[in-house]
Coordinates of all heavy atoms in Angstrom, one line a residue:
E296 N 164.7 92.5 66.5 CA 163.3 92.3 66.8 C 162.5 91.5 65.7 O 162.5 92.0 64.6 CB 162.6 93.7 67.1 CG 163.3 94.5 68.2 CD 162.6 95.8 68.4 OE1 161.9 96.3 67.5 OE2 162.9 96.5 69.4
L297 N 162.0 90.4 66.1 CA 161.3 89.5 65.2 C 159.8 89.7 65.0 O 159.2 89.0 64.2 CB 161.6 88.0 65.6 CG 163.1 87.6 65.7 CD1 163.2 86.2 66.1 CD2 163.9 88.0 64.5
C298 N 159.3 90.6 65.8 CA 157.9 91.0 65.6 C 157.7 92.3 64.8 O 158.7 92.9 64.5 CB 157.2 91.1 67.0 SG 157.1 89.6 68.0
S299 N 156.5 92.6 64.5 CA 156.3 93.8 63.7 C 156.9 95.1 64.3 O 157.0 95.1 65.5 CB 154.8 94.0 63.5 OG 154.5 95.1 62.6
Y300 N 157.2 96.0 63.4 CA 158.0 97.2 63.9 C 157.4 98.0 65.0 O 158.1 98.6 65.8 CB 158.3 98.1 62.7 CG 159.0 97.4 61.5 CD1 158.5 97.5 60.2 CD2 160.1 96.6 61.7 CE1 159.1 96.8 59.2 CE2 160.7 95.9 60.7 CZ 160.2 96.1 59.4 OH 160.8 95.4 58.4
E301 N 156.0 98.1 65.0 CA 155.4 98.9 66.0 C 155.3 98.3 67.4 O 154.9 99.0 68.3 CB 154.0 99.3 65.5 CG 153.0 98.1 65.6 CD 152.9 97.3 64.3 OE1 153.9 97.4 63.6 OE2 151.9 96.7 64.1
L302 N 155.8 97.1 67.5 CA 155.7 96.4 68.8 C 157.1 96.5 69.5 O 158.1 96.2 68.8 CB 155.3 94.9 68.7 CG 154.0 94.6 68.0 CD1 153.7 93.2 67.9 CD2 152.9 95.4 68.7
A303 N 157.1 96.9 70.7 CA 158.4 97.0 71.5 C 158.9 95.6 71.9 O 158.1 94.8 72.4 CB 158.2 97.9 72.7
G304 N 160.2 95.4 71.8 CA 160.7 94.0 72.1 C 160.5 93.6 73.5 O 160.3 92.4 73.8
H305 N 160.6 94.5 74.5 CA 160.6 94.1 75.9 C 159.1 93.8 76.3 O 158.9 93.4 77.4 CB 161.1 95.2 76.7 CG 160.4 96.5 76.7 ND1 160.6 97.4 75.6 CD2 159.5 97.1 77.5 CE1 159.8 98.5 75.8 NE2 159.1 98.3 77.0
K306 N 158.1 94.1 75.4 CA 156.7 93.9 75.8 C 156.1 92.7 75.1 O 154.9 92.4 75.1 CB 155.9 95.1 75.4 CG 156.2 96.4 76.2 CD 155.3 97.5 75.9 CE 155.7 98.8 76.7 NZ 154.8 99.9 76.3
Y307 N 157.0 91.9 74.3 CA 156.4 90.8 73.5 C 155.5 89.8 74.3 O 154.4 89.5 73.9 CB 157.6 90.0 72.9 CG 158.2 90.7 71.7 CD1 159.4 90.2 71.2 CD2 157.7 91.8 71.1 CE1 160.1 90.9 70.1 CE2 158.3 92.4 70.1 CZ 159.5 92.0 69.6 OH 160.1 92.6 68.5
P308 N 155.9 89.4 75.5 CA 155.1 88.3 76.2 C 153.7 88.7 76.5 O 152.8 87.9 76.6 CB 156.0 88.0 77.4 CG 157.4 88.4 77.1 CD 157.2 89.6 76.2
G309 N 153.5 90.1 76.8 CA 152.2 90.5 77.2 C 151.3 91.2 76.2 O 150.2 91.6 76.5
L310 N 151.8 91.4 75.0 CA 151.0 92.1 74.0 C 150.0 91.3 73.4 O 150.2 90.1 73.0 CB 152.0 92.6 72.9 CG 153.0 93.7 73.3 CD1 153.9 94.0 72.1 CD2 152.2 95.0 73.7
P311 N 148.7 91.8 73.2 CA 147.7 91.0 72.6 C 147.9 90.8 71.1 O 147.3 89.8 70.5 CB 146.4 91.8 72.9 CG 146.9 93.2 73.1 CD 148.2 93.1 73.7

Side-chain angles (χ1 to χ4, degrees):
E296 299 178 346
L297 303 182
C298 295
S299 186
Y300 305 130
E301 71 270 23
L302 304 181
H305 64 281
K306 297 181 179 180
Y307 284 168
L310 290 174

